[in-house]
Amino acid sequence: MDNRQGEHNEGYSSDFDRTKPEHSILDNSHPSSIATIKPPPGRRRVPRYREEGDNVGGERGCCVKCMCCCFCLWLLIILSLVGILVMLYSILQPRPPSFNIQYFQVNAFNLRPNFGNTTLTTEFFLTLKSQNPNKGIGFFYGRGSSVSMLYNGTTIISSGKLPTFQQTAESTNLMNVTLDGMSNFESELQDSLAENEKGGRIPLLVMVNSPAAVVLRSFPLREIAVFVNGSLVVDSLIPGRNPKILSSQYVCSVGL
């Protein structure tokens, strides 16, 4: 029986030796043995791509959040400004100023032959009335304005400019304007003028184009352009007389 047990122990020992792994874990208390350990063949260190990807995604997410915050801030500012403008518009209810001619005097209106052509020399004196119906809104009329008078709506016969002045809210101003000019007056226009003078109805068009700065209370805002078209019908254009204005129609508009 002892022999069988010995044989059995010997077989167990041999089997255990066969199944023993070639690479065993050594105790960390022996540095010399650790230095001689070699990793099993075919083993490689896997790079940590997941961690790097996580960092890039975090940076991108932070940038997206910053962009969203900036966009929301600008949108809030724009909406606030629009709300303020709408509120001011509803409270002030701005309207364009109005213009009309209060006085009209003919100082010169002469037709002279000039080398086969006819030259028309004119000089007019006008008094324009300007009314500002707005509450809290004024206008400052600066340089660069122009006033033109056209015969029959097509031919400019005289021109001038508005004086520089400031018009306060809910006020009325009178402006004196002198117009003069020299132009070629063709035979067709002479025949038309003679026929209109005979009928006592001469059509004229007065055009005003003036830049104006909008003044809110006492704070100047942006500059606008004021356009006025005045259609007149007078009875005569005899120099030294004040023609009678038979009819008039004025259209005033504002451009940005």
Side-chain angles (χ1 to χ4, degrees):
M1 184 173 179
D2 294 338
N3 294 332
R4 291 180 181 177
Q5 186 175 1
E7 292 177 358
H8 177 72
N9 292 335
E10 290 178 358
Y12 177 79
S13 177
S14 62
D15 293 337
F16 178 78
D17 294 337
R18 291 196 203 101
T19 58
K20 184 178 180 181
E22 297 179 357
H23 304 278
S24 59
I25 300 176
L26 299 180
D27 190 2
N28 293 334
S29 60
H30 300 280
S32 59
S33 61
I34 294 177
T36 59
I37 294 177
K38 296 183 180 180
R43 182 179 179 183
R44 293 179 297 177
R45 181 178 179 83
V46 180
R48 301 174 64 183
Y49 294 113
R50 183 175 299 177
E51 295 181 359
E52 295 179 358
D54 292 341
N55 293 334
V56 173
E59 293 177 358
R60 291 180 179 176
C62 183
C63 293
V64 171
K65 290 180 181 179
C66 292
M67 292 177 63
C68 291
C69 292
C70 293
F71 175 78
C72 293
L73 179 61
W74 279 109
L75 182 62
L76 180 61
I77 294 174
I78 293 173
L79 292 178
S80 301
L81 292 177
V82 171
I84 293 173
L85 292 177
V86 171
M87 183 180 64
L88 289 176
Y89 185 86
S90 61
I91 294 175
L92 299 175
Q93 296 181 355
R95 290 177 291 172
S98 62
F99 291 82
N100 59 75
I101 297 176
Q102 294 292 298
Y103 181 79
F104 185 16
Q105 179 180 337
V106 180
N107 295 330
F109 192 87
N110 302 319
L111 290 170
R112 296 180 181 178
N114 185 13
F115 299 101
N117 297 323
T118 301
T119 301
L120 174 63
T121 303
T122 60
E123 182 179 339
F124 303 106
F125 180 81
L126 304 178
T127 299
L128 294 178
K129 180 181 178 180
S130 174
Q131 291 180 310
N132 180 14
N134 297 285
K135 296 181 179 180
I137 298 178
F139 299 96
F140 182 80
Y141 296 89
R143 300 177 181 178
S145 64
S146 64
V147 182
S148 302
M149 180 173 289
L150 292 77
Y151 169 72
N152 207 20
T154 56
T155 304
I156 298 177
I157 59 176
S158 198
S159 60
K161 61 177 63 178
L162 293 178
T164 301
F165 72 100
Q166 183 173 359
Q167 188 174 33
T168 58
E170 296 182 296
S171 63
T172 301
N173 296 79
L174 297 177
M175 298 170 287
N176 295 325
V177 181
T178 300
L179 306 177
D180 54 26
M182 182 180 295
S183 58
N184 292 329
F185 213 68
E186 300 177 355
S187 58
E188 295 179 358
L189 295 176
Q190 297 177 43
D191 297 339
S192 175
L193 177 61
E195 184 177 353
N196 291 330
E197 286 180 337
K198 185 177 180 180
R201 297 183 65 87
I202 303 173
L204 298 174
L205 177 63
V206 178
M207 300 179 62
V208 179
N209 182 358
S210 175
V214 180
V215 181
L216 181 60
R217 302 297 180 182
S218 58
F219 299 98
L221 302 179
R222 64 168 300 167
E223 190 175 81
I224 61 174
V226 178
F227 304 97
V228 181
N229 286 347
S231 300
L232 307 177
V233 176
V234 298
D235 60 346
S236 67
L237 291 174
I238 299 175
R241 292 180 55 182
N242 299 334
K244 183 180 180 180
I245 300 177
L246 303 176
S247 65
S248 62
Q249 184 177 2
Y250 301 91
V251 178
C252 182
S253 60
V254 174
L256 299 178

